[in-house]
């Protein structure tokens, strides 16, 4: 039995510049953090005593005999990609609802890939997980997705992520003293609007509109550095909230599908009650919103948000991880041999397998608190 734990994320600035259609010509960058809300994937080899070979449990339950019959597209794609021929049972549990702007789909894909690797007795690097999740979502499933969600889910932490024209990217940890970080967290409220959406459909409209929004996206990308200066140069923390407001004003202009009258009403109610700024998370259309509110005004904002759910949270510093690994035993009582055969394309996607795969039980190298640069090949 394997259980993975993968965080969701909140993106503050630069969203929209992480789409290939933008950063391959202009570069891009985002400022985002993972939070202490998680996607859990449990996975095990299925004993050969059932009519079905694959059992997938999420909001639905699927019992099928062939991978090709699995309706959950990400599960089907991941199993095919990893070359899983043995029967498996996969369960998904999430702390927060899906399709709500927190990168939950990518957290699912990253966590599932990690669980399948662990099931085979292998430990991939965080960057491998990120790249393979991007590949599955964008190239295999043909979804209209950016690149920040997979990277943050795999690597975790409060980061500036820079995207380059050649598809390389750089992670820069945001290093703040404890008091400054606590002050920032204490000003941010996470509110659930109560309705969800399919992000890929909204993102498609934004991608199609990108050539017409160069000025807006350029400014939104620059706001990442503006926000970092606010945080690291000792400026008034309230400037961060004011910048969020300007960023939201630009984001909602990218396409008429990002916001709607209900979202605008929620935003205006929060600002009238004391919020200095905020934004809808993710591609738009629904899900979670964040608001920047001074602590002594948050009760007033909560009252104005009557009927909407406030979700307390803290920043999280870890990416996807295996939190439970139990070795199976065969019927004779001996340890079952590790199943380590993986397709050649998995072994060679980013680098020779020997350089990036560690066995379960070896210490996993974590991102150090310095600027890390990753190219196409590790």
């Amino acid at each position: 039995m394997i259980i993975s734990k993968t965080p969701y994320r909140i993106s503050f600035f630069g969203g929209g510049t992480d789409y290939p259609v933008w950063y391959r010509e202009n570069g891009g960058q985002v400022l985002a953090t993972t939070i202490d809300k998680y996607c859990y994937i449990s996975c095990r080899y299925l004993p050969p005593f059932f009519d079905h070979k694959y059992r997938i449990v999420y909001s639905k339950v699927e019992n099928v005999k062939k991978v090709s019959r699995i309706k959950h597209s990400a599960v089907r794609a991941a199993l095919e990609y990893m070359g899983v021929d043995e029967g498996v049972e996969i369960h998904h549990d999430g702390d927060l609802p899906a399709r709500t702007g927190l990168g939950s789909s990518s957290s699912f894909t990253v966590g599932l890939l990690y669980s399948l690797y662990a099931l085979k007795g292998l430990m991939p690097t965080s960057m491998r997980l990120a790249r393979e999740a991007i590949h599955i979502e964008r190239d295999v499933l043909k979804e209209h997705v950016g690149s920040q969600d997979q990277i943050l889910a795999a690597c975790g932490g409060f980061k500036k992520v820079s995207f380059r024209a050649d598809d390389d990217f750089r992670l820069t940890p945001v290093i703040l003293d404890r008091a400054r970080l606590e002050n920032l967290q204490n000003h941010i409220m996470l509110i659930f609007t109560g309705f969800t959406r399919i992000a890929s459909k909204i993102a498609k409209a934004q991608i199609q509109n990108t050539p017409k929004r160069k000025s807006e996206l350029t400014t939104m990308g620059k706001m990442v550095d503006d926000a970092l200066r606010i945080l690291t140069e000792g400026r008034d923390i309230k400037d961060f909230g004011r910048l969020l407001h300007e960023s939201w004003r630009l984001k909602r202009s990218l396409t008429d599908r990002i916001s709607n009258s209900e979202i605008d009403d929620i935003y205006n109610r929060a600002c009238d009650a004391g919020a200095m700024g905020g934004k809808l998370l993710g591609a738009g259309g629904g899900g979670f919103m964040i608001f920047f509110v001074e602590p002594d005004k948050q009760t007033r904002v909560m009252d104005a948000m009557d009927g909407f759910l406030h979700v307390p949270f803290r920043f999280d510093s870890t990416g996807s991880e295996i939190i439970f690994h139990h070795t199976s035993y065969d019927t004779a009582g001996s340890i079952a041999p590790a199943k380590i055969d993986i397709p050649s394309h998995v072994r060679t996607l980013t680098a020779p397998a020997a350089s990036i795969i560690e066995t379960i039980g070896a210490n996993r190298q974590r991102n150090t608190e310095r600027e890390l640069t990753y190219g196409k090949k590790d």
Side-chain angles (χ1 to χ4, degrees), residues 14 24 27 29 64 69 74 82 87 101 116 200 256 291 324-325 369:
R24 285 174 180 168
Q29 56 184 10
V64 298
R69 297 289 182 87
M82 292 293 295
L116 293 175
S200 184
D256 58 8
F291 293 103
F324 182 82
H325 176 265
E369 290 302 304

Side-chain angles (χ1 to χ4, degrees), residues 48 50 53 59 64-65 87 119 186 202 223 272 348 362:
F50 304 97
K53 188 175 181 181
S59 58
V64 298
K65 294 182 179 180
L119 199 64
N186 291 339
I202 298 172
M223 285 180 171
D272 290 344
T348 61

